Amino acid sequence: MIDAMFGTNFADGAQRIISFQSRSPVFDIIAERMPQTLWVVGMSYVVGVLIALPIGIISAYKQYSIFDQIGTLISMIGFSVPTFFTGVLLIVIFSTMVPLDSIFWLPSIYDTTHEVTDWESFKFQMRQMAMPVFVLALFNAAQISRYMRASMLDNLGQDYVRTARAKGMTEKIVVLKHVLRNSMIPVITVIALGVPQVFGGAIITEQVFKVNGLGQLLITAIQGSDIPMVMTLTFMFAILIVLFNLIADVLYGVLDPRIRYD
Amino acid sequence: MPDGALPVLDVKDLKTVFKTRGGEVHAVNDVSFSLKPGELLGVVGESGSGKSVTMMSLIGLLPSPPAEVRNGTVMFDGDDLLNVDAARMRDIRGGDIGFVFQDPMTSLNPVFTVGMQIAEPLRKHMGMNKKAARARAVELLELVGIPDAERRLDDYPHQFSGGMRQRVMIAIALACDPKVLIADEPTTALDVTIQAQILELMKELRTKLGMAVIWITHDLGVIAGIADRVIVMYGGQIVEHAPVADLFADPQHPYTQALLTTIPSVSGERSKRLTIIEGQPPILGAAPTLCPFRDRCNKRVEICERMMPQRYPVSGQHDAACFHADPGIPKEKAVGHAG
Amino acid sequence: MTIKTALMGAVASLAFAPMAFADGHEGERGRDGELRIIYWQAVSILNPYLSSGTKDIDASALVIEPLGRYDSSGNPVPYLATEIPTVANGGVSEDLTSITWTLQEGLVWSDGTPVTSRDVQFTWEYCTAEGGGCAQAAKFEGVTSVDIVDDLTVTVNFDGPTPNPYQPFMGGQSPIIQAAQFADCLGPRAPECTDANFAPIGTGPFVVTDFRVNDVVSFAANENYRVASQPAFATVVFKGGGDATAAGRAVMETGEFDYAWNMQLAPDVIAGMAEGGVGSPVSAFGALVERIEVNLTDPSPDLDEGIRSTAEAPHPFLTDPAVREAMSIAIDRELLVEIGYGQAGRPTCNLVPAPAIYASDNTGCLTQDIDRANALLDEAGYMDTDGDGVREMADGTPLSILYQTSTNAVRQDFQALIKEWWSEIGIETELRNIDAGVFFGGDPGSPDTFQRFYADVEMYANVFDGTDPQSYLGAYLCDKAPRPDTQWQGENINRFCDPAYDALWQELTSTGDLDERGRIGAALNDMLTKDSNVIIPLVDRGRVSAHANSLGGIELNVWDSELWNIAGWHRISE
């Protein structure tokens, strides 16, 4: 996608950007790394968001309940325990302690050349993604569920919630329609602004599970003083950050009529 | 006003408690009153006197926890509202009992159109489809005096002024032809000219639609102009209850009397300072056993330190919770201690 | 010379040793499925002429092969050649100025075209082309021409008598590349041939099917490989990245990989992993020496690029032998071995500790002597004049140095210990570590490579291929210094330049007698170590790799690429 968006402009002419390290076109390498990053980091983001939203909503609605306390504990763990620790911990449990022939055994090294062609290979892909996705999703979910909870709490105390109840609306409609719509405004921004990080890859997690994606590419390029590669990647991230800021702003307008530009 | 008709709402011995970290707060204590069809009942009292909490308790709008309705019955349409299930309660809320809140700026959901917010109860309680609900919403907006109603349905609350928003709130409350409309200080947050407009609107609507209204306010001037009967609340209790003319002509409870003297007079001396009631309203840490007003009362007597006054009848529909209104206690003797 | 020749003759008779080894595991090519190799340094390029990284040389060994290799005992064995040429069999001229190789008949590249002597000649042209920055130029030292005799015969001519003519085209560092594929990649254009550099056409047991830079290389069995029953594996996955711990775990604990290279881990960690029961460590000793190299030129960042760390700017105090000797004897090598390598290392004062005939009887540095080191510095006039614990030169320059190495737990331990010992003799040390992929990456554009040497001293391990240290010692000739006009390639990273050394090395190149060669080799070794301490050897290291218990045919080789006999690797039932 990126290659199509930006690459062709450079690629058509002779002026291709060549990596110092490998002496091959930068965009070819980026295109090679993009799938695993999107699969693993992107999936973990999606999973993280999908877990975070319900947890945030329920935690706020049942504030100080057992569910809320457990949710708070888990997000605190997810937030404060670094991914290189959870990653290695999972490897020790699921790759070394669990016997090889068990269905719970998971590969500790990501096979970047694996292609999904049928059900079996799809299952393998899921297995090899399980641990890195879990590690990153825990981290993302911890972050986003906190935002969601805080935003829900802010809105649950608002007067319009009382109005909705006074109109005889069911709790489901009150919470999932009236409150959620308002609560999503700041959360959507946080989620959208986090998307460029997906493309940036998760440097540490990629290193732990050998998912040699964009994060690993950037770090080896930085270490190797591969200036064309670093410049291309950072420029790409810059564009993505600007783009997703714009998207966040547009979404903000969609969700919140008060700041809509008519 | 049909006198003597069966009450549409009959509240007996209502008691509501808030549980807080610092202990319980007894916000409403043994409140009893009734509302006849088509009647406008004014509820007055200073902030924290329990007027809003009482009304919210009726239809279960208080968040629980921390609030808890401990005691009482609220008879409406043959049901005790304190004992009906959640689904029936939701049918009554917004259907048979409409609610208008104090602050129109925050009471509407900012992210939905006004039309959608009016249509919501219509579709739920009246089973209307989208089109019918929209047509009815236009009618309602016209009813509450919003010009260009059809077009404004698609506007969002922030595109309305404060007064207009309160008209929208009223439209929502009236949407399903409620038998009772509870208006909780609906004009307090508005400026004076808008207040007058809303008052006129309410008077007009009441005549037109014939529903009973409970009008909560701390503004006696508003009450004088609109109410049939008035309840005066203090410290979570009803201290005086009277038809509006009687109350202003012959207030019995020292609190009511004091309250009336706080109204600035246009004809009075300019140099005269406004009267204030000394002291603070009580914090109701426990169920009161004595008159809650006694600390601030300038007619306190010895018995006030021993017993809780009952609501003593003064005349037909007039009663007051003060020993001075107790016919069993000789008046001279009672006034004896007054300072 | 006679001994050597006799040895060669004996070896020649065992010419097909690696194939004989495969006996008993015969079968169809590709019968054992997939072989999974993990190197914790990821492969950047598959052309050893453009990279000096072991990872790159080892990965390319699956595809491109030299005329001959050394086996695990250090004996030469023919690969593409029919036999190892010697004076006895007439392959080496009597005057030692030429060697004539004969290619096996019927050899074809993986694309089906025949291997000819032109390819051999081209390989030489490729590495010696102007401006190419060939990383293996030392291999072709002294070669004046490579002449085609006929399609299968090629003669390498040297500029003088060359008693060890097994430099060009022997060992993993100088494999034969296909002339047709690299024809347009000579000189400065070499780095531009991305396709060829990523997927060279070779004669080896495997061909490249997919190359992902710094990530993974996929290989498939070469259908045109000269031994019908080899390789046993149909495909090879060559994964890179991570760290030695994870690689060891993947082989010995989780069993996800079959072979992991260079287990530079604490001995107890390796033992713990081996308890996993899935794989085992395998080790061998050679001449791999962990050493501190002293920069004789000034790496000060105040100097201009192009002057900094070049012979134009001599180092202010490390050019003084007394300072270097003091630094050497201040080190307790026994303790380093104990902490870093356990059984997999031994203290050494030699750059060339093996084979035995080259090993100098040099033990002077083995005992730490801080007092003598201090005395040396006092005598040389470096005194701590301002009382800050750091000695100064006469002009006030403090003896303050930057000490760099690659990122590696053992090396960082060494750094910390040595910094402490040096502080006891009044030398202040600043430590720096650089990611191994960069440090050894050979990128001419990077300021952090070991060749660029923008530091005062640096530590790493190095070793020579084959059994003859001539070219290894040849790295320290004056003109081998990395400098801007060689694109910072070159092995003389100390920028050491001693005419006597150059002369003695020239003598070695014209000496055929093995004992005499040993004497000269040891003398050269002493000039670099005992006499001048330009190189401060620390530990003679064994090499440890790990393999799955189900993987057979592994014979860890310290004299050539570890994957030298990968054609014969196979599955064994457990």
Side-chain angles (χ1 to χ4, degrees), chain B residues 30-85:
Chain B
D30 299 321
V31 166
S32 304
F33 66 92
S34 64
L35 181 68
K36 299 187 193 88
E39 182 187 33
L40 198 151
L41 177 67
V43 179
V44 288
E46 61 196 279
S47 303
S49 62
K51 5 183 243 300
S52 295
V53 174
T54 304
M55 300 312 155
M56 304 247 264
S57 304
L58 299 186
I59 55 169
L61 274 187
L62 288 175
S64 172
E68 183 190 331
V69 178
R70 283 262 167 94
N71 190 26
T73 55
V74 178
M75 295 310 292
F76 174 85
D77 217 4
D79 289 319
D80 180 359
L81 294 190
L82 299 183
N83 284 321
V84 298
D85 62 22

XYZ file of all heavy atoms in Angstrom, chain B residues 30-85:
400
model
N -40.430 11.292 55.999
C -41.871 11.152 56.202
C -42.673 12.216 55.464
O -43.470 12.948 56.040
C -42.213 11.202 57.703
C -41.529 10.061 58.429
O -41.468 8.945 57.855
O -41.010 10.279 59.537
N -42.394 12.322 54.167
C -43.108 13.315 53.371
C -44.388 12.691 52.829
O -44.358 11.594 52.278
C -42.220 13.823 52.233
C -43.044 14.592 51.206
C -41.124 14.718 52.788
N -45.504 13.388 53.020
C -46.776 12.925 52.492
C -47.456 14.092 51.786
O -47.466 15.214 52.300
C -47.715 12.463 53.613
O -47.070 11.462 54.377
N -47.937 13.854 50.607
C -48.756 14.858 49.934
C -49.511 14.162 48.825
O -49.224 13.003 48.484
C -47.909 16.008 49.381
C -46.987 15.606 48.277
C -47.404 15.710 46.944
C -45.709 15.123 48.536
C -46.551 15.343 45.925
C -44.873 14.759 47.520
C -45.285 14.867 46.209
N -50.489 14.863 48.258
C -51.208 14.267 47.147
C -51.398 15.320 46.070
O -51.243 16.523 46.305
C -52.561 13.719 47.604
O -53.344 14.803 48.042
N -51.665 14.826 44.893
C -51.782 15.716 43.749
C -53.068 15.349 43.022
O -53.275 14.193 42.661
C -50.572 15.512 42.834
C -50.490 16.373 41.586
C -50.248 17.827 41.966
C -49.363 15.867 40.693
N -53.921 16.350 42.815
C -55.180 16.061 42.140
C -55.008 16.292 40.649
O -54.112 17.040 40.222
C -56.264 16.970 42.705
C -56.495 16.752 44.192
C -57.700 17.550 44.674
C -57.738 17.576 46.187
N -56.951 18.709 46.730
N -55.855 15.683 39.866
C -55.734 15.851 38.414
C -55.863 17.327 38.039
O -56.693 18.046 38.588
C -56.909 15.056 37.855
C -57.298 14.111 38.924
C -56.948 14.758 40.213
N -55.052 17.774 37.141
C -55.138 19.128 36.625
C -54.632 20.191 37.575
O -54.621 21.374 37.252
N -54.176 19.796 38.733
C -53.750 20.762 39.737
C -52.286 21.137 39.534
O -51.483 20.334 39.076
C -53.928 20.122 41.110
C -53.569 21.000 42.262
C -53.614 20.240 43.589
O -53.295 19.024 43.584
O -53.956 20.850 44.601
N -51.911 22.367 39.934
C -50.500 22.730 39.925
C -50.041 22.910 41.360
O -50.496 23.809 42.076
C -50.252 24.009 39.113
C -48.781 24.181 38.701
C -48.670 24.958 37.395
C -47.925 24.796 39.781
N -49.174 22.006 41.751
C -48.682 22.009 43.135
C -47.299 22.627 43.155
O -46.378 22.142 42.492
C -48.627 20.565 43.655
C -48.065 20.378 45.063
C -48.985 20.990 46.118
C -47.847 18.895 45.347
N -47.167 23.700 43.892
C -45.851 24.317 44.021
C -45.103 23.706 45.180
O -45.688 23.415 46.217
N -43.816 23.482 45.005
C -42.980 22.982 46.105
C -41.866 24.000 46.289
O -41.090 24.237 45.366
C -42.404 21.594 45.798
C -41.538 21.113 46.943
C -43.530 20.605 45.531
N -41.826 24.629 47.475
C -40.776 25.620 47.712
C -39.897 25.213 48.869
O -40.284 24.396 49.723
C -41.351 27.038 47.980
C -41.910 27.652 46.731
C -42.355 26.994 49.087
N -38.772 25.839 48.904
C -37.821 25.550 49.981
C -36.454 25.945 49.481
O -36.231 26.049 48.275
N -35.532 26.171 50.461
C -34.203 26.572 50.019
C -33.423 25.354 49.535
O -33.883 24.205 49.656
C -33.471 27.302 51.141
C -33.266 26.439 52.389
C -32.894 27.311 53.577
O -31.708 27.662 53.677
O -33.777 27.642 54.397
N -32.238 25.622 48.977
C -31.423 24.521 48.471
C -31.146 23.523 49.576
O -30.847 23.906 50.700
C -30.097 25.061 47.935
O -30.339 26.018 46.942
N -31.252 22.243 49.254
C -30.955 21.216 50.233
C -32.135 20.885 51.118
O -32.024 20.114 52.065
N -33.310 21.436 50.840
C -34.456 21.163 51.700
C -35.115 19.837 51.346
O -36.014 19.392 52.039
C -35.470 22.298 51.590
O -35.937 22.382 50.256
N -34.679 19.226 50.234
C -35.201 17.898 49.898
C -36.284 17.901 48.841
O -36.858 16.858 48.555
N -36.551 19.054 48.221
C -37.646 19.095 47.240
C -37.352 18.243 46.003
O -38.172 17.425 45.596
C -37.967 20.528 46.781
C -37.066 21.635 47.291
C -37.509 22.993 46.847
C -36.466 23.659 45.956
N -35.160 23.864 46.585
N -36.136 18.438 45.431
C -35.814 17.667 44.225
C -35.695 16.181 44.530
O -36.189 15.340 43.780
C -34.514 18.153 43.610
O -34.653 19.469 43.152
N -35.054 15.879 45.665
C -34.846 14.476 46.020
C -36.187 13.781 46.187
O -36.380 12.641 45.760
C -33.991 14.369 47.301
C -33.894 12.925 47.758
C -32.616 14.949 47.067
N -37.145 14.470 46.774
C -38.469 13.891 46.953
C -39.058 13.475 45.605
O -39.514 12.337 45.426
C -39.408 14.920 47.615
O -38.822 15.343 48.836
C -40.779 14.312 47.883
N -38.994 14.401 44.640
C -39.623 14.128 43.353
C -38.878 13.045 42.576
O -39.483 12.218 41.903
C -39.702 15.411 42.528
C -40.515 16.489 43.206
S -42.111 15.861 43.813
C -42.467 17.000 45.131
N -37.552 13.086 42.702
C -36.785 12.056 41.995
C -37.026 10.697 42.619
O -37.017 9.674 41.911
C -35.304 12.397 42.036
C -35.043 13.779 41.463
S -34.116 13.739 39.953
C -32.514 13.991 40.579
N -37.236 10.677 43.939
C -37.511 9.399 44.600
C -38.776 8.770 44.047
O -38.870 7.554 43.914
C -37.699 9.591 46.113
O -36.583 10.215 46.668
N -39.746 9.642 43.725
C -41.044 9.137 43.271
C -40.895 8.210 42.081
O -41.542 7.174 41.991
C -41.953 10.303 42.851
C -42.300 11.335 43.897
C -43.323 12.310 43.330
C -42.857 10.643 45.128
N -40.045 8.640 41.135
C -39.983 7.839 39.913
C -38.637 7.129 39.752
O -38.234 6.750 38.657
C -40.297 8.696 38.672
C -39.374 9.903 38.616
C -41.752 9.141 38.683
C -39.471 10.630 37.292
N -37.955 6.970 40.887
C -36.750 6.122 40.867
C -35.620 6.671 40.028
O -34.892 5.915 39.388
N -35.463 7.992 40.026
C -34.362 8.558 39.233
C -33.103 8.798 40.054
O -32.099 9.210 39.509
C -34.807 9.888 38.612
C -35.541 9.797 37.272
C -35.762 11.173 36.704
C -34.761 8.941 36.288
N -33.202 8.507 41.343
C -32.003 8.725 42.147
C -31.051 7.547 41.951
O -31.484 6.406 41.911
C -32.373 8.841 43.623
C -33.082 10.130 44.013
C -33.507 10.052 45.478
C -32.173 11.329 43.806
N -29.784 7.828 41.783
C -28.834 6.719 41.614
C -28.738 5.909 42.898
O -28.610 6.468 43.979
C -27.510 7.415 41.296
C -27.649 8.804 41.833
C -29.114 9.141 41.787
N -28.852 4.613 42.734
C -28.798 3.762 43.929
C -27.766 2.656 43.701
O -27.952 1.872 42.770
C -30.172 3.139 44.162
O -30.091 2.181 45.193
N -26.737 2.544 44.519
C -26.349 3.470 45.570
C -25.921 4.817 44.979
O -25.634 4.854 43.801
C -25.179 2.741 46.263
C -24.588 1.879 45.183
C -25.749 1.488 44.313
N -25.886 5.844 45.779
C -25.962 5.898 47.243
C -27.387 6.078 47.783
O -27.594 5.904 48.976
C -25.122 7.129 47.587
C -25.275 8.021 46.396
C -25.482 7.121 45.219
N -28.349 6.453 46.916
C -29.661 6.774 47.476
C -30.455 5.502 47.765
O -30.289 4.490 47.091
C -30.444 7.654 46.507
N -31.292 5.582 48.780
C -32.139 4.442 49.101
C -33.471 4.957 49.629
O -33.511 5.769 50.542
C -31.446 3.580 50.168
C -32.219 2.325 50.506
C -31.634 1.627 51.726
O -30.426 1.742 51.969
O -32.420 0.980 52.440
N -34.582 4.514 48.992
C -35.902 4.897 49.496
C -36.264 3.879 50.564
O -36.420 2.696 50.290
C -36.931 4.913 48.360
C -38.309 5.275 48.915
C -36.524 5.906 47.291
N -36.388 4.371 51.812
C -36.525 3.457 52.953
C -37.965 3.078 53.242
O -38.233 2.025 53.759
C -35.967 4.134 54.218
C -34.455 4.147 54.316
C -33.960 2.996 55.201
N -32.534 2.840 55.024
C -31.624 3.411 55.818
N -32.007 4.185 56.809
N -30.359 3.216 55.582
N -38.843 3.993 52.941
C -40.188 3.812 53.491
C -41.161 4.607 52.641
O -40.772 5.498 51.908
C -40.191 4.317 54.942
C -41.474 3.934 55.647
O -42.112 2.938 55.259
N -41.876 4.710 56.633
N -42.411 4.252 52.732
C -43.441 5.057 52.106
C -44.150 4.349 50.967
O -43.762 3.255 50.547
N -45.220 4.999 50.489
C -45.921 4.499 49.317
C -46.135 5.673 48.365
O -46.276 6.811 48.790
C -47.292 3.914 49.668
O -48.028 4.909 50.374
C -47.181 2.651 50.509
N -46.085 5.398 47.097
C -46.355 6.403 46.082
C -47.414 5.804 45.163
O -47.086 5.007 44.292
C -45.084 6.770 45.295
C -45.409 7.791 44.216
C -44.002 7.303 46.218
N -48.652 6.122 45.403
C -49.725 5.535 44.614
C -49.951 6.356 43.360
O -50.150 7.574 43.409
C -51.037 5.477 45.429
C -50.984 4.554 46.633
S -50.360 2.897 46.281
C -51.710 2.288 45.275
N -49.826 5.705 42.227
C -50.067 6.377 40.957
C -50.785 5.384 40.060
O -50.279 4.289 39.812
C -48.736 6.800 40.334
C -48.884 7.388 38.944
C -49.190 8.739 38.778
C -48.748 6.598 37.808
C -49.343 9.276 37.518
C -48.899 7.128 36.541
C -49.199 8.484 36.393
N -51.975 5.762 39.622
C -52.668 4.932 38.660
C -52.863 3.496 39.177
O -52.738 2.531 38.421
C -51.848 4.891 37.372
C -52.756 4.893 36.155
O -53.982 5.002 36.337
O -52.218 4.776 35.042
N -53.098 3.379 40.478
C -53.335 2.053 41.041
C -52.102 1.258 41.411
O -52.180 0.176 41.943
N -50.922 1.793 41.088
C -49.683 1.076 41.438
C -48.935 1.845 42.510
O -48.975 3.076 42.548
C -48.767 0.987 40.219
C -49.295 0.021 39.176
O -49.794 -1.047 39.568
O -49.207 0.350 37.972
N -48.196 1.100 43.342
C -47.241 1.749 44.236
C -45.919 1.841 43.484
O -45.255 0.842 43.243
C -47.079 0.923 45.514
C -46.089 1.576 46.470
O -45.536 2.640 46.112
O -45.873 1.020 47.563
N -45.553 3.063 43.108
C -44.356 3.232 42.283
C -43.083 2.739 42.959
O -42.088 2.474 42.316
C -44.177 4.709 41.895
C -45.240 5.302 40.976
C -44.810 6.666 40.504
C -45.485 4.391 39.779
N -43.115 2.625 44.283
C -41.907 2.160 44.964
C -41.777 0.646 44.878
O -40.755 0.088 45.226
C -41.927 2.602 46.426
C -41.953 4.118 46.634
C -41.900 4.444 48.119
C -40.800 4.780 45.907
N -42.821 -0.022 44.396
C -42.769 -1.484 44.352
C -42.943 -2.071 42.961
O -42.940 -3.281 42.810
C -43.858 -2.063 45.271
C -43.440 -1.952 46.719
O -42.276 -2.148 47.028
N -44.381 -1.596 47.587
N -43.108 -1.205 41.931
C -43.305 -1.783 40.595
C -41.972 -2.257 40.027
O -40.906 -1.844 40.489
C -43.941 -0.773 39.612
C -45.309 -0.366 40.098
C -43.047 0.430 39.411
N -42.044 -3.130 39.030
C -40.769 -3.600 38.463
C -40.199 -2.544 37.521
O -40.852 -1.551 37.192
C -40.949 -4.948 37.761
C -41.904 -4.866 36.591
O -42.110 -3.764 36.060
O -42.467 -5.916 36.218
